[in-house]
Amino acid sequence: DDTVDTRAIREANSTALDSSGCIDLAMDTSGIIDWYTAPVVVAHAPFAADESMGLDMAHGGATIAVLSQTRVAIFELNERHRPEFRIFTASNSPNLARQVAVSPTGDEIAVSDAMGIIQFYRRSPTAGWSASPAQVLVSNLTGKAITYSDDGTALYVEGQRDNIPVRSFQRNLSGNWESANVTVPPTPNPTPNRILGWTSNRLLVSDGQSLNVYQRTQNGLAPSQRLNFPVPVKQLNVGETGFR
């Protein structure tokens, strides 16, 4: 509270409020120094008229990858930590069942689809990003969810129709990805919309009704924790005495 100068806090009038009741001014009205930064429009190559660059987004290091139904827009943070447009990857056939991931160092982007095709785009120290994939991996999996480990040495891809829900990949001597002999325990409940994540040296795998946490071991992954989600109410019956 000592950092707030209450005399500097300005009340919002009716013209400064949107329908949600939030302040809608491009300025700092909090009285807290450096708390607010006005939005900045990032210059980039024009998107196509029918292109939706909001299919998915991921970041790692100083790299931001924004996915559309056909390609990826690559941005990098400059020394002022503001994104600058770098390149569009080459366009593929339109596909809404895709997901993007960025390696922790920010020098590789992986794009997966529900047919098990993974494209990798890499940044050269001298030439920068290439619009063409450096590797195309056929994983033979039927899920699009993908994530890097926190150290970037492993890649995990979901398998929706497999009793083993996640497959692991590792780099070979040439720097390309190949299947790894790592065991991932099955999750109890299959789901068509599995989500993968990685945090605190743990792999997170959803199965629709819970979140399964796996810890890395020498031989693969071992169950660490299971977080159950309440099943949503599918029907609401209203009567004279209330509802149930």
Side-chain angles (χ1 to χ4, degrees):
D1 293 341
D2 294 338
T3 62
V4 179
D5 182 1
T6 56
R7 295 171 300 177
I9 300 178
R10 192 177 71 185
E11 283 191 5
N13 54 39
S14 59
T15 60
L17 299 177
D18 62 17
S19 59
S20 68
C22 298
I23 297 176
D24 188 20
L25 294 175
M27 62 184 298
D28 184 1
T29 61
S30 68
I32 303 175
I33 298 175
D34 294 332
W35 176 83
Y36 174 85
T37 301
V40 177
V41 177
V42 179
H44 57 78
F47 299 151
D50 59 347
E51 186 171 30
S52 172
M53 295 301 301
L55 192 61
D56 192 23
M57 184 179 70
H59 67 88
T63 301
I64 302 172
V66 185
L67 181 66
S68 78
Q69 61 269 43
T70 61
R71 57 183 178 170
V72 180
I74 302 176
F75 297 82
E76 287 184 338
L77 300 178
N78 59 22
E79 64 278 358
R80 300 177 63 189
H81 299 284
R82 292 186 176 181
E84 294 182 352
F85 177 77
R86 289 292 181 257
I87 194 174
F88 278 124
T89 62
S91 295
N92 297 298
S93 300
N95 187 345
L96 296 177
R98 304 168 74 219
Q99 195 170 82
V100 64
V102 181
S103 65
T105 56
D107 56 4
E108 183 178 78
I109 296 172
V111 182
S112 61
D113 64 29
M115 301 303 295
I117 306 298
I118 307 174
Q119 295 182 328
F120 296 92
Y121 300 89
R122 294 174 185 145
R123 179 178 56 198
S124 165
T126 56
W129 291 98
S130 172
S132 300
Q135 181 188 0
V136 179
L137 175 65
V138 181
S139 67
N140 295 320
L141 298 175
T142 55
K144 65 178 181 178
I146 185 171
T147 185
Y148 286 89
S149 62
D150 54 0
D151 58 6
T153 62
L155 186 75
Y156 297 93
V157 184
E158 67 162 321
Q160 288 182 0
R161 300 172 187 172
D162 201 330
N163 58 355
I164 297 178
V166 180
R167 296 293 184 183
S168 177
F169 296 85
Q170 64 186 7
R171 292 188 189 274
N172 56 28
L173 295 178
S174 64
N176 287 326
W177 292 97
E178 62 182 13
S179 181
N181 186 22
V182 172
T183 301
V184 181
T187 56
N189 303 309
T191 175
N193 295 305
R194 196 180 304 283
I195 299 174
L196 302 183
W198 192 275
T199 182
S200 300
N201 203 30
R202 301 288 194 278
L203 176 66
L204 310 179
V205 183
S206 69
D207 65 5
Q209 298 177 3
S210 62
L211 186 65
N212 301 274
V213 184
Y214 299 95
Q215 184 176 4
R216 220 169 181 179
T217 66
Q218 291 183 346
N219 300 320
L221 296 167
S224 172
Q225 188 178 9
R226 179 177 173 86
L227 305 175
N228 293 316
F229 302 135
V231 178
V233 177
K234 297 181 179 180
Q235 184 175 351
L236 181 66
N237 298 317
V238 181
E240 295 179 355
T241 58
F243 62 86
R244 60 181 176 87

